[in-house]
Amino acid sequence: MMKKLILHTFLFILLFIVVFECFQGLTSPIFSIRQFTADVKRVFTTPLSVSNTNDSISYNPNGDKILLNVNNIGFHSHIDFEPNELSKNYVLVGDSFVQSKICGTYNSIAYILDKKIDAKVFNFGIGGGNLNSYNDVYKTYNLKDAKLVFILITGTNDLVYKRQQKKIKESSLKIINLINQKLNGPQFYSQPNFKLFEPDLHNVVYLVHDNLTKNSLVKNGVSQPIIEIHIGDNYRFSDGHYTKEGNKLIANQIFKFLNQRN
């Protein structure tokens, strides 16, 4: 009797959620069928090759189709990286906000900015990256030779990672990788470490958003130019990443900075 009551209660709640979602569409993302469907599409759908291009099809958190492109050195970018062209072009470095795997390669900040200026914008977005990662990219690819390097810092979270001492060997088994990450994964500072900013990066411009401000960087001795970004929630997907319109606003701020500099 009790089992039947529990089953009927569960079925009633499930039916209520389905009907409410279909007719109102106002449920929270936790219970949103549309959001769940979009996430399933995005995560579990194997990217399909697009004829005659290097692009593949994926889905953003709203379930809309987007195009992704991986360039000649493995970064999500609309163009290949050409080291000998750095001196006359610009670079954008950051985490998944720059990578734009969620929003789409041709909706990225780098792509939008590239179309606004008479120069190329090379894109170095690292999903889950932090300031140590960005500094490594700067050194690895000799970005000191670029006209300017814009580094997007996603809040104080990017400043709490300690540099990893040893590289974790990847396993073919996901469970082994998860265990390794727990045992040998990232170590953190108890508070944001502003000493991670390297003072000798003379062609760097920092972009800060979320809970990090220009004033906090200046107070802690960062001497490079800083652009403070304020983008409302209406320009974000449900997972917090910026939409194409949000990326346009950031690209416009960089464009304005370049015009004022010239």
Side-chain angles (χ1 to χ4, degrees):
M1 186 71 177
M2 181 61 70
K3 287 184 179 179
K4 187 178 289 187
L5 177 62
I6 292 172
L7 178 61
H8 286 172
T9 303
F10 173 78
L11 290 175
F12 174 79
I13 293 172
L14 182 62
L15 181 61
F16 174 80
I17 291 172
V18 170
V19 172
F20 190 80
E21 174 65 22
C22 290
F23 285 95
Q24 297 295 328
L26 299 176
T27 48
S28 123
I30 297 174
F31 299 107
S32 172
I33 294 172
R34 289 175 299 176
Q35 185 64 53
F36 174 77
T37 303
D39 290 342
V40 168
K41 279 184 180 180
R42 180 164 54 85
V43 174
F44 293 103
T45 302
T46 303
L48 304 173
S49 294
V50 180
S51 179
N52 300 322
T53 73
N54 293 322
D55 295 332
S56 62
I57 296 173
S58 188
Y59 297 86
N60 68 21
N62 291 340
D64 303 320
K65 285 184 179 180
I66 55 174
L67 292 178
L68 300 176
N69 183 69
V70 177
N71 69 6
N72 60 330
I73 56 172
F75 286 88
H76 282 80
S77 178
H78 59 290
I79 53 174
D80 285 341
F81 177 58
E82 301 294 342
N84 58 345
E85 294 185 359
L86 271 173
S87 61
K88 56 184 178 181
N89 292 303
Y90 299 94
V91 175
L92 188 62
V93 181
D95 60 4
S96 54
F97 284 82
V98 170
Q99 184 187 44
S100 203
K101 192 175 178 181
I102 299 298
C103 192
T105 299
Y106 304 98
N107 299 323
S108 69
I109 303 167
Y111 177 80
I112 296 168
L113 181 62
D114 191 303
K115 298 305 172 187
K116 291 177 69 69
I117 62 178
D118 187 23
K120 293 180 180 179
V121 182
F122 297 116
N123 200 34
F124 287 88
I126 308 166
N130 57 73
L131 191 49
N132 289 317
S133 311
Y134 314 149
N135 291 338
D136 288 343
V137 164
Y138 186 94
K139 293 171 184 175
T140 300
Y141 296 98
N142 293 315
L143 300 185
K144 60 181 175 56
D145 296 331
K147 288 183 74 172
L148 283 176
V149 178
F150 294 92
I151 299 181
L152 182 69
I153 308 293
T154 307
T156 54
N157 182 59
D158 275 4
L159 309 181
V160 297
Y161 285 82
K162 293 183 179 180
R163 183 170 290 281
Q164 196 163 327
Q165 298 301 317
K166 61 179 181 177
K167 188 175 178 63
I168 301 173
K169 187 176 180 181
E170 288 288 323
S171 170
S172 57
L173 298 175
K174 288 185 178 180
I175 186 65
I176 299 298
N177 288 330
L178 288 173
I179 293 172
N180 282 336
Q181 286 172 12
K182 289 293 183 182
L183 295 177
N184 305 305
Q187 301 295 313
F188 303 96
Y189 296 104
S190 58
Q191 59 186 5
N193 183 6
F194 288 88
K195 292 181 180 179
L196 295 177
F197 286 96
E198 299 193 4
D200 59 340
L201 308 184
H202 301 300
N203 64 336
V204 162
V205 178
Y206 289 109
L207 294 94
V208 296
H209 64 143
D210 288 346
N211 61 352
L212 198 59
T213 65
K214 178 177 180 178
N215 189 47
S216 65
L217 266 65
V218 172
K219 277 187 174 180
N220 284 278
V222 177
S223 58
Q224 290 93 339
I226 302 161
I227 301 173
E228 188 171 320
I229 298 168
H230 297 282
I231 308 293
D233 289 342
N234 53 321
Y235 292 103
R236 292 179 186 251
F237 291 115
S238 58
D239 67 355
H241 287 93
Y242 294 126
T243 62
K244 179 180 180 180
E245 295 305 314
N247 286 342
K248 278 184 179 178
L249 293 175
I250 297 171
N252 286 339
Q253 284 189 257
I254 298 174
F255 182 68
K256 181 179 179 182
F257 173 86
L258 291 174
N259 282 341
Q260 290 174 343
R261 186 182 178 90
N262 292 333

